[in-house]
Each structure stands twice: as C-alpha cells, then as structure tokens.
Amino acid sequence: MRHLSIVGFGLIGGSLAAALRARQPDLVVTGFARSAETRRQALELGLADAMPDTLAEAIEGADIILLATPVLSFETVLAAIRPHLTPSQIITDAGSVKGSVVDAACRVFGELPPRFVLGHPIAGSENSGVTAARADLYQGRRVLLTPDQHTDPDAQASVAQMWRDAGAQVEWLGVEEHDQILAATSHLPHLLAFSLVDTLAHEDRHLDIFRYAAGGFRDFTRIAASDPVMWRDIFIANRTAMLTQIDAFADGLAALRAEVDRADGRAMQTRFARAKSARDFFTQLQEPQTMSKHWQVTAGATMQGTIRVPGDKSMSHRSIMLGAIAEGTTEVSGFLEGEDALATLQCFRDMGVQIDGPVDGRVTIHGVGMHGLRAPKDRLWMGNSGTSIRLLSGLLAGQSFDVTLQGDDSLAKRPMKRVSDPLARMGAVIETAEGGTPPLTLRGGAPLKGIHYDMPMASAQVKSAVLLAGLFADGETSVTEPAPTRDHTENMLNGFGYKVERDGATARLVGGGRLTACDIEVPADISSAAFFLVAASITPGADLTLTHVGVNPTRTGIIDILLLMGANIERLNEHTVGGEPVADLRVRYAPLKGIHIPEALVPLAIDELPVTMIAAACAEGDTLITGAEELRVKESDRIQAMVDGLNALGVAAEARDDGALIPGSLDRVFADAAIQTHMDHRIAMSFVIAATRASGTVVVRDIEHVATSFPNFKALCMGLGVKLSETSH
Ligand SMILES: O=C(O)C1=C[C@@H](OP(=O)(O)O)[C@@H](O)[C@H](O)C1
Ligand SMILES: C=C(OP(=O)(O)O)C(=O)O
C-alpha cells in the first residue's frame, strides 16, 4: 500500500496513521474529518499529508480507504464516496459491529462489494479524538476481519498486512459470531459502566460517592468515559445481540440479589470463586502471544532453605476429571492452580459440573455421575495442555454429545493420532485437523467396545485416554505399555472405587461401573521440584529441602538419574498420602559426573530431561541421552530446543534423533545469551536454572508459559537468591 485514506480521523484512524508512518515514512495519508479543528490537528501532528474538504478528494488515489467514523454514519459515507470509487480501491472499516455495516453496504451498493473487507481493531480506549492517537495503540492487539465468501482474497490480504504493519495480530471471524461475542465482551461492559455511573450520579450523595470512590470504582467505570456518540451507535447497531446479553446479565444479577437478600454467604462465595477462576483462566487468552514477557537472569543463587513446590499437575488434572464423573462430592487439596490444570477445571464447568474453588489449592467437585456431563455451548479450550486434550478425548469419546477440543499454537502442533487411532478402534468417531493434530472433534452417541491395546510408545496420556474411554465401553479394556509410565490414572480410579487390575505391563478395567467420590490430597509435583534438585546440585554451598514431594516410583527417574551422576539427595519423612508415596527431599551441592542415562529411566523422567541436560552441562565428562524420541513431541521439540539453547550458552551439545550428547564441565560458566523457549514452560525454567551459572546475564524469552505448570516459580526462585527481572524487549 502506498496511499491510505482515513475517513473519520479520531483515535482509531489517527493511531493507524501514526503506526504506519513510523514504519513506512513515504506512505501517503489523506483524510477526512467534519470538524475543521480535527483537520488542522491531523496535519499539525504530522499524521496526514492532506485533509481535503470533500470526501471525493480525500479518497482520490487511495489504495485502501478506512472508515473510522461512528458505525451508524457508514451508510451516508458509503453513499457519498460511491460515485468516486475506482474498481481497484479497497474499502475497510473499524466498526465495533459488523452486521449493520453489511446491511448499510447492501443498501448503498446492492450487495457487499468484494473489495470491502470488514474489520474491527480491538484496541479502543476511553480516550478519543485525534490528539489521543498513539503509534503503539495496535502493538500486540487483535484485529478481527469478518469477510464473506465473496470477499476478494487479495483485498483481504492487503488489509491484513496493513494491520500487521501497525503491529496487530489479525484473526478471522464470521459476522454474526463477531457481533454476538462483542456484545458480551465489549458492548455489555460499556453499557454497564455507563449505567452504573449514571445511576450513582443521580444519587443524593453523589458528591461524596465520587469523592471517596476508590480503585474498584475507577477500574470498573474507566470505560464510562468513552465517546457517547460512538457507543450510542454501537448499542443501536447491535441491538439484538445486546438485548440477549442484557437479559442474561439481568438474570444473573437477580440471582445474586436474592443471595444478598438471604445473606447466603455460601452461594455467593461459590459464585465469586467460580467467577474469579474463570477470570484468571480466561485473562491469559486475552493477550495475543505477541505480548511476550522475558526474564533477565543474572548469575548467582544461594539455593538454601526449605520450600514446597505446587501440586502435581498429572494428579490435579485427574482429580477434576474423575471427581466430575463420580457420584458425590470430591474434596481436593493441594490442587495445582496452574493454567493447564485450570483449563481442565474450566472444561468440566463448561460441561455443567459445579466446581467450587480453587481457593488455596482446595477444590470441591460436585460429581454428576458417569452420564451426567452436558454438551458444552462452545469448543472446549485446552490451552497449552497435552494431558487435558489427550485424557479428555478418551473420557469424552463415549458421551452422547459432539464436542470439539482446541488449544494454543503449541498444542496445535502436537500429535493426536496416538489417541484417535486406538479410540477409533473402540468405536469412537473422532476428527482431527490435517496431519492428525488438534482441534479434535468427537461425535457423540458412538457406542464403544473394549479393546486390548499394545501401546507403540511409552505414554501415560495414551494409556489413560484408552482406559478412560474404557469406562464407557462394553466389556474389558486393557493396555500394555512398552515401559512403565506414570500410573496416576490407575491409582486414582482405584481410589474412586473403580477396579483397575494390573498384570505386569498390562492395566485392565471393565466398562459400565461407577465412581464414588473421595478426598484427594495432591502432593507437590516432582516435575517442578526437579528444577531445584538440579539447581541445588550445581550450586556450590547449596542445601535445600523440598517438602511433601510425590515420589511415586513411576515418577522418580530424575532422582535416580541425579544419584547416578553423583548428586547428594536424601529422602526424609517418607510416608503415604491417599495411596501415593510422598517424601521431603534434601539436596546439597555435589560435583556431578556425566553418564549414559539408562533408557529404562527415560519414561520415568520424561518431563525432567530438559533440566537434566543443564545438570549434564555442569558435570564432569559427557552425558548421553538415548531412547528419548518422545521429547520431540512435547510442548516443543525439547531435544532441539535444549541443544540450541545450550549451544547459545557456549556448550557444544549435539542433538540425536532420540536424545542428545552433552559435554560437561565441573567449572562450567555459561556464556551470556538470549534463549528461545518455543512456548515451552520446561525449556524456559531449565534455562533460568542454567542462568544462575552464567558469566553475566541470560535472557530467557517468552517466559509466560511457566504459568502452565508452575505459577509461583518466579517467587520461589527469588526466595532462593536467583536474580531475575522482567523485560518486554
Ligand atoms: O499423563 C500425564 O499426566 C503426563 C504424561 C506425560 O506425557 P506422555 O504420555 O505424552 O509421555 C508427561 O510428559 C506429561 O507432562 C504428563
Ligand atoms: C509434556 C508436558 O505436559 P502436557 O503434555 O500436558 O502438555 C509437560 O508438562 O512437560
């Protein structure tokens, strides 16, 4: 694009001009504004080259024309520019409602012109007018395009490129879907803010009310300072969807009013806890992935003291899944409040299960029984979590309803045929994306039959998916694993009174039984503890105790590997909690030596191998990892990601198809570098630990995924003397 014309030069149009001109100084921008003052300001601020008096002149010669006036004026604007348009010109808009724009265009042109690409930047602000324009308004924000099947693909591509050049992330949506979603997420909140402020402004004591109004009021009503004309137009243009949302809100408010009236604290707390956890969970979806955070970690750490890492991720997922289909109320403590486990929790809420919490790791699940799940209203969101999508594909394969399981960009690359193949053999109807990746759509009502499955890879997720489907299948389902993998599904099913038998490498159950609610205490996650087992082992002077760690023998590969390397780890206070062994682990610095990691330990330490590679780089001699090809299909290709990161830190590590060769040195000082983490929490945390042995500062990029499994990793690191700070560059 060489020439952009902006009709309506306010915050939205002005910010686009500012962003594009910063990147492309020779871009010609012309504009139109009704007020002479705005025309003058746009020129003075250097946002436009010309602000002619007529629309015809303002659009002349433009490649793209952006309509950025209030939505109800579009029809008048389109009618005015129509006689002057040339066939190659592209029109787009920035309206918050799309259906009404289609209608306006049809009235003016008889149809939606193929070169009219409907768009909506989700980047407003309560500030308005050209003087509020900012070159970074669209940085990392979403722009939604809502073309139809007749929209010209070239025109779409040009508009998408324009927004990307302004720093935005472009996504596509249907017109109706857009209007319904925006009614709920943007239009209703604005309406409520206007209404609340207006109501309070009429109260007798409104001066006092506003004088003493504190943070909550200010946060809630910030958007009531938005442009009244623009919002008047939006509420009218999106009237139908708005009314649906207002009614739904009014019902919720009436229910809450009744709870206040009855002083029903329990009901309110349940409602608020549900709202809080939904907000915590969904906030991470709101920020496009371009809003990355990075950590700068400077060498040195003490690694002394006593800490407890958060609850076990594998058990947290399973506690929700089994609690939901059990009869009765399951109380969970020690639940991991990380994004992955919260994704599982939200899925079951979406399927109608009442779940209270989590509050300080306590969750109460009101089980609905084997056949009580309800069809979710939308796709289920799995976030970054392979465990959620694979286990749920098994659990949901035998339901009566259709359901689609979808996750983030990292999950979208992970192989799902490993579960869809055996489930299809059981009779499930499952569609995957091309290449056997998510989203997965499960068709309801398919009768399942038990099978015997010889697993081709050592995967607890595949084993669990087949066993969970087996609960709903006719007859016996059995799975034989090529090597032992974590057995929490089997243990927990037994805890819920559902018999799973173990016979060597084979686990079996018979479908059609029932689960009875029970209490579950989730121990601390050994996979999270692993970062500190390694950190203390490579930090001279370290003496660290990790309390209440789950030491189920199918998970303790990391302890065995580190002991073989010469680590000083003691198990203290060993006991059993709810059928799972736990212990305190005391770890002190010890000079490590390189080893060939026994392949039998690989599946028992699969998530801990990335940080093991950091230990290896600090050990005397070479460490060889083989038989670990599964690492290539985790949240990232963990073999490549670790080898690349180690190379950047100055370690001549080599990737192998099924592992890596890592040269070690007891005096290792890592070089300063910036590390790519590929949206993978374990890669990120491994390199934070490595950075404590760097010569200066290591930048660990895109750190936010740490929250999937270890939300307080940063706080615990800082408590152990790790020097880190956040940066967005
Ligand atoms: O069942 C589970 O809870 C898990 C199994 C493992 O995956 P695979 O089954 O793919 O090895 C592991 O990597 C994952 O973090 C959790
Ligand atoms: C592989 C992992 O998790 P998931 O498969 O659940 O995404 C992990 O936590 O390291």
Side-chain angles (χ1 to χ4, degrees):
M1 175 179 60
R2 285 188 310 268
H3 181 170
L4 170 68
S5 171
I6 298 174
V7 179
F9 227 102
L11 169 77
I12 292 291
S15 297
L16 180 64
L20 294 178
R21 296 202 107 175
R23 227 186 109 100
Q24 194 188 330
D26 57 347
L27 176 75
V28 176
V29 179
T30 52
F32 180 81
R34 275 205 319 220
S35 117
E37 177 68 359
T38 305
R39 293 202 290 269
R40 189 182 58 74
Q41 285 166 335
L43 291 171
E44 240 173 52
L45 291 167
L47 296 175
D49 299 291
M51 293 293 289
D53 293 340
T54 66
L55 270 171
E57 289 169 276
I59 66 162
E60 194 182 337
D63 302 308
I64 298 183
I65 301 162
L66 172 78
L67 309 187
T69 54
V71 268
L72 289 190
S73 65
F74 284 6
E75 187 169 345
T76 317
V77 174
L78 289 170
I81 63 174
R82 183 183 166 186
H84 310 287
L85 283 171
T86 61
S88 67
Q89 283 183 313
I90 298 169
I91 312 174
T92 186
D93 76 307
S96 275
V97 186
K98 303 280 47 118
S100 68
V101 184
V102 176
D103 295 344
C106 290
R107 282 193 295 271
V108 174
F109 297 97
E111 60 167 9
L112 181 64
R115 289 178 79 75
F116 189 168
V117 184
L118 301 182
H120 175 200
I122 317 247
S125 149
E126 71 280 17
N127 302 318
S128 45
V130 67
T131 48
R134 288 174 13 213
D136 65 351
L137 184 69
Y138 301 112
Q139 200 57 49
R141 308 305 289 269
R142 287 197 168 96
V143 171
L144 305 176
L145 299 185
T146 64
D148 69 11
Q149 72 270 36
H150 304 297
T151 310
D152 181 340
D154 289 343
Q156 270 189 62
S158 303
V159 172
Q161 193 54 48
M162 173 183 85
W163 286 113
R164 286 195 197 104
D165 287 346
Q169 182 172 306
V170 177
E171 291 179 25
W172 278 260
L173 215 63
V175 166
E176 220 174 287
E177 202 183 0
H178 170 278
D179 287 358
Q180 280 163 4
I181 291 173
L182 268 289
T185 55
S186 164
H187 306 169
L188 180 68
H190 277 84
L191 181 122
L192 298 180
F194 284 129
S195 167
L196 177 68
V197 176
D198 184 52
T199 306
L200 296 186
H202 283 97
E203 297 242 341
D204 294 346
R205 298 169 56 86
H206 67 271
L207 272 187
D208 285 346
I209 288 174
F210 287 110
R211 185 173 317 137
Y212 300 121
F217 177 83
R218 219 173 299 131
D219 285 352
F220 188 85
T221 59
R222 176 180 61 79
I223 49 182
S226 304
D227 183 354
V229 175
M230 178 173 124
W231 284 98
R232 174 203 67 190
D233 279 15
I234 290 171
F235 296 150
I236 295 173
N238 204 17
R239 194 168 61 241
T240 315
M242 277 306 285
L243 289 176
T244 310
Q245 289 305 329
I246 294 171
D247 291 348
F249 180 78
D251 291 348
L253 191 61
L256 185 51
R257 187 190 185 286
E259 286 161 11
V260 174
D261 191 23
R262 294 197 302 273
D264 188 343
R266 201 179 134 72
M268 279 190 272
Q269 190 181 336
T270 303
R271 184 185 292 278
F272 300 157
R274 196 168 60 221
K276 174 178 164 28
S277 108
R279 191 190 188 274
D280 291 347
F281 174 64
F282 286 115
T283 320
Q284 28 124 355
L285 302 182
Q286 285 164 10
E287 294 300 333
Q289 267 126 21
T290 44
M291 300 285 282
S292 288
K293 285 198 196 105
H294 318 301
W295 283 358
Q296 270 180 322
V297 188
T298 304
T302 48
M303 295 296 156
Q304 285 176 358
T306 299
I307 59 168
R308 178 167 171 163
V309 299
D312 187 272
K313 178 158 76 73
S314 294
M315 292 179 65
S316 295
H317 282 299
R318 288 159 171 84
S319 69
I320 299 290
M321 296 181 189
L322 301 189
I325 57 166
E327 287 165 27
T329 303
T330 292
E331 302 278 355
V332 184
S333 60
F335 182 80
L336 167 66
E337 298 183 40
E339 287 168 6
D340 278 13
L342 290 174
T344 293
L345 188 150
Q346 186 63 39
C347 288
F348 283 90
R349 281 197 173 128
D350 292 346
M351 291 187 287
V353 182
Q354 190 193 327
I355 303 175
D356 306 335
V359 177
D360 297 331
R362 303 193 73 85
V363 179
T364 306
I365 307 152
H366 302 270
V368 295
M370 291 284 285
H371 301 285
L373 296 177
R374 290 204 306 264
K377 295 202 175 97
D378 202 345
R379 290 157 295 177
L380 294 178
W381 180 254
M382 308 287 128
N384 191 245
S385 175
T387 309
S388 305
I389 195 166
R390 297 214 179 98
L391 269 58
L392 278 178
S393 65
L395 188 88
L396 298 179
Q399 302 295 327
S400 58
F401 48 82
D402 292 358
V403 58
T404 296
L405 315 179
Q406 194 177 3
D408 68 9
D409 293 351
S410 156
L411 193 67
K413 297 193 192 104
R414 296 180 66 183
M416 293 299 142
K417 281 187 87 58
R418 54 179 57 201
V419 285
S420 65
D421 281 350
L423 294 174
R425 274 189 50 204
M426 296 178 79
V429 182
I430 305 188
E431 293 149 27
T432 65
E434 222 175 289
T437 52
L440 293 184
T441 298
L442 314 175
R443 299 287 166 206
L448 302 185
K449 59 178 189 309
I451 57 164
H452 172 72
Y453 190 55
D454 264 315
M455 260 197 317
M457 74 289 286
S459 164
Q461 293 178 0
V462 175
K463 171 178 66 175
S464 302
V466 174
L467 290 176
L468 291 173
L471 299 175
F472 297 89
D474 194 22
E476 183 184 279
T477 296
S478 55
V479 185
T480 301
E481 45 189 6
T485 66
R486 67 194 68 195
D487 58 5
H488 304 300
T489 303
E490 299 93 299
N491 289 350
M492 215 181 269
L493 276 169
N494 280 321
F496 275 90
Y498 202 111
K499 200 153 122 212
V500 184
E501 277 172 7
R502 184 98 211 169
D503 176 7
T506 304
R508 59 167 51 90
L509 56 75
V510 176
R514 47 200 279 252
L515 280 71
T516 309
C518 62
D519 291 349
I520 297 171
E521 191 184 324
V522 179
D525 196 334
I526 190 165
S527 299
S528 298
F531 296 103
F532 297 108
L533 293 177
V534 169
S537 296
I538 63 170
T539 302
D543 184 354
L544 182 62
T545 301
L546 296 145
T547 59
H548 208 70
V549 180
V551 287
N552 175 317
T554 60
R555 297 289 297 282
T556 46
I558 179 64
I559 299 179
D560 297 334
I561 292 170
L562 287 172
L563 289 175
L564 287 173
M565 294 176 78
N568 179 351
I569 302 174
E570 279 176 87
R571 290 176 183 228
L572 307 167
N573 191 18
E574 287 192 71
H575 60 292
T576 305
V577 172
E580 291 276 348
V582 297
D584 296 342
L585 301 177
R586 181 175 181 196
V587 52
R588 280 170 282 183
Y589 170 77
L592 301 182
K593 59 179 192 297
I595 57 166
H596 180 179
I597 294 178
E599 288 194 9
L601 291 178
V602 163
L604 308 180
I606 192 72
D607 292 344
E608 294 71 65
L609 290 177
V611 76
T612 304
M613 297 194 207
I614 302 301
C618 300
E620 194 57 52
D622 291 352
T623 292
L624 179 63
I625 302 176
T626 53
E629 56 279 352
E630 276 294 304
L631 285 182
R632 293 210 180 262
V633 291
K634 297 292 180 185
E635 284 84 326
S636 67
D637 175 345
R638 286 181 173 164
I639 293 176
Q640 203 55 51
M642 286 306 300
V643 166
D644 289 348
L646 283 168
N647 291 165
L649 293 181
V651 181
E654 286 168 28
R656 301 276 166 91
D657 286 349
D658 65 341
L661 177 68
I662 297 138
S665 160
L666 269 182
D667 317 312
R668 171 76 64 197
V669 177
F670 291 112
D672 295 354
I675 303 294
Q676 301 297 341
T677 59
H678 306 277
M679 299 172 73
D680 188 331
H681 52 138
R682 301 212 191 272
I683 301 299
M685 291 187 277
S686 298
F687 282 107
V688 169
I689 300 305
T692 63
R693 292 258 317 232
S695 69
T697 297
V698 169
V699 174
V700 183
R701 299 186 62 80
D702 306 320
I703 196 81
E704 58 273 20
H705 289 279
V706 164
T708 59
S709 66
F710 202 157
N712 63 342
F713 179 67
K714 180 179 177 190
L716 288 182
C717 279
M718 292 177 87
L720 296 172
V722 179
K723 298 179 216 85
L724 56 85
S725 61
E726 241 167 60
T727 151
S728 56
H729 308 293

